Amino acid sequence: MVTRLSNQLMHYQKMSSMMRSQSELADKYQRITTKERLLQSADDPAAAAENLQIKQTQVRLAQYQRVNNIAQHQMQSQLQVVDKMEDVTRNIKETLVAVSNQSILNDKDRLAYATKIEDLKSQLFVLANNKDGSGNYMFAGYKTDTAPLEMNNSGTVSYQGGADAVKQHIDADREVTVYFTAEQVLLSATGSNIFQSLDSVITTLKTPYQSATPQDQAAMAAVISTATGGLQDTTKTLSTITSQLGLQLKEVENLSSRHEETSVLLKERQSQLMDTNLLEEITEFKQLEEVMQASYSIYGQMKDLSLFKILR
């Protein structure tokens, strides 16, 4: 009886040892094939916890990077349009300078300049109603599906967009304006708007000057002077917005670069925590494999011993 129990104990001990070796071998094989050192949190709780924090940070960085890419594209799109608006306002300024001395212009010339200003006004109107690549009005604030400017039959332009500019968080504690409204850009100069000033100039240029009374001529001159002042305010506003968009674009570029650098560092740290040492693991795998083969050989020999035969 004692002999039988001893043999059973030896049998179970050997089987248990072989099963542990098989498990270790399978574990090593998985580490080699996946190239991961941590197969489960229990392998290294501290490293697993740090890796989880890294993953959470990587998710946040990826989210900000997507948002920043969108914000960058939006600001670039609006900046291109604002640049064109500046070109138009420079053309308007040149025209106002040309008509400032109305006494040397005949009525035909005045009508030609009036037509030119009407065209320039139309160009500004079209630019302000530009859409971005997604089909959204970029100067309408958060009312992106509404054309920001509307022109009635008499040519009067009014703002129909949202009250607030479109803003975007590019980082946890940093918000930038990605889309300024047409109201901010073109309709706030001198308490009026550029379109009203241009309408006044157009009406003035369509009115005969030489046959007008001195008082009317003085009033016409005042209209041109007022429009020139309003245009200067609009030009300053456009220049300010251009500068702000440019600075914000640079900020987003720098922030994106920092995010990329942080992502690289996090990935390197994650590799230190998670990646297996292939050379070391392969060496240990081969050693375990040799031990397993030896165990199988010994177990096979043990079965032929009389001690095992007794159990049969």
Side-chain angles (χ1 to χ4, degrees):
M1 183 65 178
V2 173
T3 301
R4 181 171 297 182
L5 289 175
S6 298
N7 279 281
Q8 287 179 336
L9 180 60
M10 290 174 62
H11 172 75
Y12 289 134
Q13 286 177 339
K14 194 61 183 177
M15 286 296 296
S16 177
S17 175
M18 290 173 61
M19 289 177 66
R20 283 196 302 272
S21 296
Q22 285 179 334
S23 177
E24 290 178 11
L25 195 64
D27 182 79
K28 290 292 181 185
Y29 180 77
Q30 190 173 359
R31 292 175 194 271
I32 292 170
T33 55
T34 62
K35 298 180 181 179
E36 292 185 1
R37 185 176 71 88
L38 301 183
L39 300 179
Q40 52 188 0
S41 299
D43 292 338
D44 190 336
E50 185 177 350
N51 182 55
L52 178 60
Q53 291 179 337
I54 289 175
K55 286 183 176 180
Q56 292 171 343
T57 303
Q58 287 173 327
V59 169
R60 288 196 298 272
L61 287 176
Q63 290 173 340
Y64 277 124
Q65 198 70 343
R66 286 193 294 271
V67 170
N68 290 358
N69 288 338
I70 294 172
Q72 190 173 22
H73 177 72
Q74 289 174 321
M75 288 188 289
Q76 287 172 339
S77 297
Q78 189 167 72
L79 183 57
Q80 289 174 356
V81 179
V82 172
D83 284 342
K84 292 178 181 178
M85 288 179 174
E86 288 188 292
D87 289 338
V88 174
T89 56
R90 278 191 288 269
N91 205 336
I92 293 173
K93 179 181 179 181
E94 293 172 359
T95 306
L96 291 179
V97 170
V99 302
S100 60
N101 190 355
Q102 300 180 78
S103 62
I104 66 174
L105 301 175
N106 58 41
D107 289 344
K108 184 178 179 181
D109 291 335
R110 289 164 62 80
L111 285 174
Y113 279 119
T115 299
K116 182 177 180 179
I117 292 178
E118 284 178 332
D119 179 62
L120 294 171
K121 171 191 171 184
S122 178
Q123 290 181 39
L124 277 182
F125 180 83
V126 171
L127 287 171
N129 281 340
N130 248 279
K131 292 182 179 180
D132 61 19
S134 300
N136 298 317
Y137 289 101
M138 65 176 73
F139 289 90
Y142 287 99
K143 294 175 66 175
T144 55
D145 58 347
T146 301
L149 297 186
E150 182 181 82
M151 186 183 299
N152 63 20
N153 293 332
S154 64
T156 300
V157 175
S158 59
Y159 181 69
Q160 304 296 319
D164 299 318
V166 178
K167 297 180 182 294
Q168 185 63 264
H169 278 283
I170 59 173
D171 209 351
D173 55 354
R174 181 67 174 111
E175 185 180 61
V176 297
T177 300
V178 294
Y179 279 161
F180 290 88
T181 69
E183 187 173 45
Q184 292 173 308
V185 176
L186 297 173
L187 307 182
S188 59
T190 63
S192 180
N193 66 65
I194 187 63
F195 295 103
Q196 289 178 354
S197 296
L198 295 179
D199 286 340
S200 298
V201 172
I202 292 167
T203 300
T204 296
L205 292 174
K206 287 182 177 180
T207 302
Y209 182 84
Q210 300 298 337
S211 60
T213 65
Q215 291 82 0
D216 288 339
Q217 289 178 349
M220 292 180 193
V223 168
I224 302 298
S225 178
T226 300
T228 301
L231 180 64
Q232 289 177 345
D233 289 342
T234 299
T235 301
K236 289 179 182 178
T237 299
L238 289 171
S239 178
T240 299
I241 289 174
T242 296
S243 297
Q244 186 169 340
L245 287 172
L247 289 172
Q248 289 179 171
L249 278 169
K250 188 64 177 177
E251 184 179 359
V252 170
E253 290 173 4
N254 292 338
L255 187 60
S256 295
S257 295
R258 290 200 297 272
H259 284 170
E260 289 175 3
E261 291 171 1
T262 301
S263 295
V264 170
L265 293 175
L266 288 175
K267 193 170 183 179
E268 290 176 353
R269 178 54 182 163
Q270 195 172 38
S271 178
Q272 293 172 355
L273 293 170
M274 300 296 295
D275 292 353
T276 187
N277 185 324
L278 279 177
L279 180 61
E280 181 180 307
E281 293 291 347
I282 291 173
T283 300
E284 293 180 0
F285 178 84
K286 289 181 178 180
Q287 291 174 346
L288 282 171
E289 195 173 35
E290 292 175 357
V291 171
M292 279 292 299
Q293 291 174 349
S295 296
Y296 280 128
S297 177
I298 293 173
Y299 183 72
Q301 295 173 7
M302 288 177 63
K303 290 199 301 182
D304 293 331
L305 296 177
S306 59
L307 200 58
F308 276 90
K309 291 181 180 179
I310 295 173
L311 296 176
R312 295 177 181 176

